[in-house]
């Protein structure tokens, strides 16, 4: 009987050890996925931060490029306007010069015609009628 009791106690002890080992194994399993999830979240956060930083840098660079292009376009437009104004002023000056030359020529021609025209003979006054 003593033998049967000790065998029973040994089996009970072995089963309790298996239970403890099983419980410890189950307790460790949920902790591992939580740690992995935490690590994955941390990694995803770092990647998101890096992506956001990169996107912000690209946006800033694009704005800088657009600003430079706008400035260059304004500079080009100002140069074209200046050139057009200069050309218009030169054309106006040329037109004024041509108009002055034509007026001078017309005055010269009129003076020549006036000089060349024979003087109109003076008509004698009609004798006054006597009453």
């Amino acid at each position: 009987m003593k033998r049967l009791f000790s065998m029973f106690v040994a089996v009970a002890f072995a089963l309790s050890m298996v239970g403890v080992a099983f419980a410890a194994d189950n307790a460790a399993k949920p902790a591992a996925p939580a740690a992995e999830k935490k690590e994955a979240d941390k990694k995803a956060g770092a990647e998101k931060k890096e992506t956001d930083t990169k996107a912000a840098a690209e946006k800033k660079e694009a704005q800088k490029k657009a600003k430079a292009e706008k400035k260059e376009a304004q500079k080009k437009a100002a140069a074209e306007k200046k050139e057009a104004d200069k050309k218009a002023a030169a054309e106006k000056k040329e037109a004024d010069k041509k108009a002055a030359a034509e007026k001078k020529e017309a005055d010269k021609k009129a003076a020549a015609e006036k000089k060349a025209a024979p003087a109109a003979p003076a008509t004698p006054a009609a004798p006054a009628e006597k009453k």
Side-chain angles (χ1 to χ4, degrees):
M1 180 93 166
K2 210 174 185 188
R3 224 174 172 169
L4 191 60
F5 180 73
S6 53
M7 198 185 300
F8 180 72
V9 169
V11 170
F13 180 74
L15 286 176
S16 68
M17 285 292 139
V18 169
V20 169
F22 185 72
D25 189 42
N26 283 342
K29 283 183 182 177
E36 290 173 5
K37 183 179 179 190
K38 187 175 181 182
E39 186 64 32
D41 289 346
K42 187 176 179 182
K43 187 176 180 181
E47 288 174 357
K48 185 179 184 313
K49 185 176 180 181
E50 185 178 329
T51 304
D52 290 347
T53 303
K54 192 175 183 180
E58 288 174 357
K59 183 179 179 182
K60 188 175 180 181
E61 186 65 30
Q63 288 174 340
K64 188 176 179 181
K65 186 176 179 181
K67 188 176 180 181
E69 288 174 355
K70 183 179 179 183
K71 188 175 181 180
E72 187 65 31
Q74 288 174 340
K75 195 174 180 181
K76 187 176 179 181
E80 288 174 355
K81 185 181 182 305
K82 186 176 180 181
E83 187 65 32
D85 290 347
K86 192 174 179 182
K87 186 176 180 181
E91 288 174 356
K92 185 177 185 288
K93 187 176 179 181
E94 188 65 31
D96 290 346
K97 193 174 180 183
K98 187 176 180 181
E102 288 175 356
K103 185 177 185 295
K104 188 175 179 183
E105 187 66 33
D107 289 346
K108 194 175 181 183
K109 188 176 180 182
E113 286 177 359
K114 186 176 181 183
K115 192 175 184 183
T123 55
E129 289 184 28
K130 290 186 180 181
K131 285 192 178 177

